[in-house]
Amino acid sequence: MCGIIGYVGAQPATPILLGGLRRLEYRGYDSAGLALQEAGGPLVALRSVGKVARLAEKVKQELTAERQATATVGIAHTRWATHGAPTEANAHPHFSADRKLCLVHNGIIENYRAIRARLEAKGHVFTSETDTEALARLIGEHYQGDLRKAVGQALAQVEGAYGIAVMATAQPGVLVVARKGSPLVLGLGEGETLVASDASALIAHTQRVIYLDDGDIATVTANTVDIRDRHDVLREREVAELGLDLGAVEKGGYEHFMLKEIFEQAESVGNALRGRLDTEHGTAVLAGMGTSPRDLAELQRIVLVGCGTSLHAGQVGEFAFEDLADLNAEVQQAAEFRYRNPLVGSHDLVLAISQSGETADTLAAVREAKEKGALVLGLVNVVGSTIARETGRGVFIHAGPEISVASTKAFTGQVAVLLLMALRLGRGRRLSLERGRVLAAELARLPELIAQVLAQNDAIAAVAGRMAAAEHAFFLGRGPMHPVALEGALKLKEISYVHAEGYHAAEMKHGPIALLTPGTPVVVLANRSPQLDKVWSNAEECKARGARIIAVVTAGSAADTIADDRIVIPECDPLVATIPAAIALQLLAYHVARLRGCPIDQPRNLAKSVTVE
Ligand code: M6R
């Protein structure tokens, strides 16, 4: 949430900062700003409302070419508003009272009101409504020529979450950065150092990175990095290789990142499965689970935590763990987990599911579960992310960077790995070799099954064309397709702004059916499964009230008389079918949003990676 990029080196900073902001724009895009440092001169800042392109325009108009060429140090920010509307005054960077230092901030300073009141009593006149300005002014109050010291003293008074980058006129060529609860990564180049809120902004410059830990304060120059931990002890943090190329964060000819990411799924799910399926023994090999077969056999319960799409993946996992592993599984919304005093202990496995590995609520759940002595694993996409590092063990989904705010390939990667985990746990418990082999073989077919759904892109676009004008839609499913219905509805609402509700198919008649009017689209997940007859009955009930039924059906299943439109997914195991079905609904949402002219990759009010509670 919010993007930070900072640069110190020998090259002109402006294009590097703007380029970094473009890569980070998916983290927040309601306003943007940058500040440049020139030796001996004042800090120059530009801010603008809206997308980074508007800031770039402003830079072109208001910064002389000479200044753009000579300033080689700067910080920049793209904002997702928390305190105060998206206005120029609230955009970052924010300044100290004497304007001799400025900072960009990601996170929330929870006690900013008290800090602001204290500073106002001392005569400070605030120019924004943000929590960030209070921190900038507080650092300014402490500054006596040592920026790191001032940052440390100010942060000692702060409650909340932050990733910050700060610079001061009196210390040219120096950036001080700090994190607690919001990610920051340093990029080490040749004679240049970068800082960013995520690695995608660094790929164009370097592959060598250092992920800061919570509590770290780093002082960076073009050639040096000094990292102190929360106790002010000098730390050597590991230098990691990103192993990503630029293509991973570019559209590669697709109109939107979302479409690219949908189409990457045969490959990304293949990556999630690669080397992990043992079809001969009908099991999965998941080194990251890191626990002895005996410990796993003794597990009493698995609690899956996550938010949004990751929560829905967990809900599919719940069915899989119960069905395949005979394990009592339950899903908990991560934001609620620590506040309900969860009943978890040493015989419970808490599985934190997160694409970004930075979601504040999921991270808080991880910490609470660890505190309670549970075995905690991460199911994460972003290597080096906080949840990946704090869980210390877990399984990566290897989906590659997901740039579109709407999560797609992360969901299918998460579900694929959850099915692998359930298979693995199941085989260590009561799942027969025979069923294990059947399921492993089905999972191995996933890339091919996914390709078959993707091949229907045009047909799905045509279905979308017949529902694009609707203002309301329902998504219904039963069993493991219930969370897929929830996910289908989430995709549609977040990118097309169509009001969409996902329901258990049997729940419709308990209330929501009152909302149906003639023509309301009802998307029904009617794949072949033990509950199929019941699903059709629920669809009939909607049809009888005039709803337009769009059915996701299994290839070769008996022709129905209910559906107005059909989307066909290949025949496969009902748990495995959640993946092709979800992809069909991703395409449906995508095409509806496209037909409605929505900004698909950056939907209004949203941001990727929610690092605030
Ligand atoms: O990075 P995470 O998986 O932890 O993110 C969780 C949610 O914020 C995320 O899935 C969100 O719901 C997406 N916008 C859904 O498309």
Side-chain angles (χ1 to χ4, degrees):
M1 204 146 242
C2 302
I4 289 176
I5 174 89
Y7 177 81
V8 47
Q11 299 187 59
T14 313
I16 293 173
L17 296 177
L18 287 172
L21 286 186
R22 281 189 200 99
R23 299 247 180 256
L24 294 171
E25 201 165 23
Y26 72 116
R27 297 184 69 99
Y29 34 82
D30 54 39
S31 50
L34 58 77
L36 300 168
Q37 188 194 63
E38 288 173 323
L43 297 170
V44 178
L46 285 176
R47 303 182 290 188
S48 73
V49 174
K51 301 268 171 91
V52 172
R54 281 175 73 178
L55 178 69
E57 203 43 50
K58 198 164 180 180
V59 166
K60 226 192 261 168
Q61 287 163 6
E62 297 183 21
L63 269 192
T64 62
E66 192 198 337
R67 197 159 235 174
Q68 288 188 44
T70 51
T72 63
V73 182
I75 54 177
H77 187 262
T78 173
R79 180 172 185 245
W80 184 85
T82 57
H83 295 69
T87 60
E88 198 171 310
N90 289 334
H92 300 206
H94 288 283
F95 282 79
S96 58
D98 60 6
R99 294 191 68 83
K100 290 191 173 161
L101 69 82
C102 71
L103 96 164
V104 290
H105 165 226
N106 181 5
I108 289 181
I109 307 300
E110 286 166 3
N111 60 338
Y112 84 100
R113 281 192 191 83
I115 296 171
R116 181 172 174 140
R118 240 171 36 227
L119 294 174
E120 281 175 338
K122 287 179 81 175
H124 284 252
V125 180
F126 278 69
T127 57
S128 78
E129 303 153 272
T130 63
D131 52 337
T132 303
E133 190 183 357
L135 181 57
R137 287 171 177 270
L138 187 63
I139 297 172
E141 281 284 302
H142 287 282
Y143 187 62
Q144 288 178 340
D146 183 338
L147 191 54
R148 188 184 64 76
K149 196 167 167 197
V151 167
Q153 286 168 338
L155 291 179
Q157 298 166 51
V158 154
E159 287 160 23
Y162 51 79
I164 58 170
V166 199
M167 59 184 186
T169 47
Q171 286 175 259
V174 175
L175 297 181
V176 172
V177 301
R179 72 154 281 180
K180 185 182 150 213
S182 283
L184 274 185
V185 52
L186 305 180
L188 311 177
E190 292 300 321
E192 59 186 13
T193 309
L194 295 99
V195 53
S197 48
D198 80 63
S200 60
L202 304 178
I203 301 173
H205 304 281
T206 182
Q207 290 284 317
R208 296 175 65 234
V209 298
I210 296 176
Y211 295 99
L212 294 184
D213 278 355
D214 261 0
D216 283 353
I217 300 181
T219 309
V220 304
T221 68
N223 295 300
T224 61
V225 166
D226 170 300
I227 302 172
R228 313 264 160 167
D229 69 10
R230 66 182 82 230
H231 307 295
D232 204 24
V233 175
L234 190 63
R235 289 283 174 193
E236 283 274 322
R237 298 264 182 247
E238 187 194 342
V239 178
E241 282 290 321
L242 281 179
L244 290 171
D245 63 41
L246 262 183
V249 291
E250 285 176 350
K251 282 189 201 152
Y254 284 91
E255 193 178 342
H256 297 101
F257 278 110
M258 182 177 179
L259 192 62
K260 177 188 178 221
E261 288 158 10
I262 290 173
F263 270 85
E264 279 172 351
Q265 289 176 102
E267 191 185 338
S268 60
V269 169
N271 289 342
L273 299 174
R274 183 157 304 117
R276 290 170 167 172
L277 267 177
D278 176 350
T279 42
E280 190 191 337
H281 299 101
T283 188
V285 184
L286 292 164
M289 286 180 83
T291 316
S292 73
R294 200 163 141 216
D295 287 345
L296 292 180
E298 282 172 6
L299 278 180
Q300 286 174 359
R301 193 167 61 124
I302 177 161
V303 179
L304 303 109
V305 294
C307 301
T309 289
S310 296
L311 183 72
H312 297 154
Q315 288 170 330
V316 177
E318 183 179 5
F319 281 94
F321 285 114
E322 286 188 355
D323 183 16
L324 304 175
D326 263 343
L327 195 57
N328 181 0
E330 68 183 64
V331 179
Q332 292 189 22
Q333 210 287 330
E336 205 51 50
F337 185 80
R338 68 174 159 158
Y339 295 110
R340 64 188 294 184
N341 195 13
L343 285 169
V344 291
S346 56
H347 288 290
D348 299 317
L349 167 63
V350 173
L351 185 57
I353 308 173
S354 174
Q355 186 286 127
S356 61
E358 302 293 350
T359 299
D361 287 321
T362 311
L363 179 58
V366 164
R367 289 174 177 161
E368 181 66 20
K370 280 167 85 173
E371 191 68 34
K372 292 252 182 307
L375 171 64
V376 184
L377 296 182
L379 175 52
V380 172
N381 188 31
V382 180
V383 178
S385 60
T386 311
I387 293 175
R389 287 181 300 131
E390 289 210 9
T391 47
R393 58 181 153 186
V395 183
F396 287 111
I397 63 169
H398 299 308
E402 192 182 66
I403 308 293
S404 171
V405 165
S407 188
T408 54
K409 60 178 179 171
F411 177 81
T412 50
Q414 289 162 346
V415 172
V417 172
L418 285 165
L419 295 182
L420 289 177
M421 284 181 164
L423 183 61
R424 160 90 175 79
L425 286 174
R427 290 289 290 127
R429 296 161 84 92
R430 293 189 45 228
L431 190 72
S432 69
L433 173 63
E434 195 189 356
R435 181 140 191 244
R437 276 183 176 159
V438 170
L439 201 76
E442 285 283 87
L443 286 167
R445 285 174 63 216
L446 263 170
E448 172 203 321
L449 301 176
I450 292 169
Q452 288 177 37
V453 178
L454 296 174
Q456 294 176 68
N457 183 36
D458 291 346
I460 296 173
V463 175
R466 292 187 282 277
M467 70 178 275
E471 286 308 321
H472 306 273
F474 286 87
F475 288 73
L476 307 182
R478 298 180 75 118
M481 284 298 180
H482 173 222
V484 175
L486 300 179
E487 176 59 12
L490 175 63
K491 283 294 85 85
L492 186 66
K493 70 185 121 190
E494 70 182 328
I495 61 165
S496 74
Y497 315 146
V498 173
H499 168 224
E501 299 279 358
Y503 271 100
H504 189 281
E507 272 294 311
M508 271 305 268
K509 57 186 170 297
H510 295 288
I513 204 164
L515 293 170
L516 294 182
T517 52
T520 305
V522 176
V523 180
V524 182
L525 290 154
N527 61 305
R528 196 169 290 143
S529 77
Q531 297 204 54
L532 181 57
D533 289 345
K534 307 256 181 260
V535 173
W536 281 129
S537 302
N538 301 142
E540 289 270 17
E541 291 149 15
C542 298
K543 178 96 176 169
R545 272 95 190 157
R548 211 170 162 276
I549 305 294
I550 298 156
V552 177
V553 298
T554 305
S557 57
D560 62 273
T561 51
I562 304 168
D564 297 284
D565 265 317
R566 282 169 204 82
I567 298 172
V568 182
I569 60 168
E571 164 83 68
C572 56
D573 173 274
L575 278 169
V576 174
T578 53
I579 291 177
I583 293 172
L585 300 189
Q586 292 165 2
L587 282 171
L588 188 66
Y590 173 81
H591 289 295
V592 170
R594 191 169 173 277
L595 290 165
R596 291 168 72 97
C598 298
I600 292 179
D601 285 334
Q602 294 170 353
R604 72 179 174 217
N605 303 340
L606 299 183
K608 194 87 176 160
S609 186
V610 183
T611 55
V612 294
E613 274 191 62

